[in-house]
Amino acid sequence: IMNHGDSQTKKHRPAASVVGPSAAQQRFRTVLDLEHQLETKPESQHQRIRQNMCLELTEIICSDPLFAEDNDCIGKMWRKCFYSEISQLRKVKRRQKASAVATIEKSFQ
């Protein structure tokens, strides 16, 4: 609710279509299915699944920003599409660093 002087008005959002789900809702269902696939499919398929999820979420964000906000599409994109990849890269980097440190320490013995 927004206050304007003495009167109060509600933020106006267009009513949902009576005909059926919006394109954003349909895409969001696809995103939920892709999330499920990330949990059930082999890791070899995860990159393709994440790419598809990123495309679907981008379409939702660009075509229906209110729906995207209400359903935390930006957060979902970050967590599901990017953060997991970054986390994997960090693990690889830590292993490489540990290996390099061990090699250097071994050379001083």
Side-chain angles (χ1 to χ4, degrees), residues 13-17 21-28 56-74:
R13 289 192 184 203
S17 172
S22 70
Q25 290 169 325
Q26 291 172 348
R27 287 187 181 279
F28 194 71
E56 293 294 335
L57 287 166
T58 299
E59 285 296 322
I60 294 169
I61 292 164
C62 292
S63 66
D64 194 339
L66 291 176
F67 181 89
E69 180 184 356
D70 290 345
N71 291 280
D72 190 31
C73 290
I74 293 172

Side-chain angles (χ1 to χ4, degrees), residues 30-70:
T30 301
V31 168
L32 295 177
D33 180 56
L34 291 167
E35 274 186 307
H36 178 71
Q37 289 180 36
L38 279 176
E39 297 168 5
T40 58
K41 299 282 183 178
E43 196 166 319
S44 61
Q45 296 180 19
H46 286 192
Q47 183 175 0
R48 178 191 56 78
I49 294 168
R50 282 191 189 98
Q51 286 173 341
N52 290 337
M53 186 182 297
C54 189
L55 290 172
E56 293 294 335
L57 287 166
T58 299
E59 285 296 322
I60 294 169
I61 292 164
C62 292
S63 66
D64 194 339
L66 291 176
F67 181 89
E69 180 184 356
D70 290 345

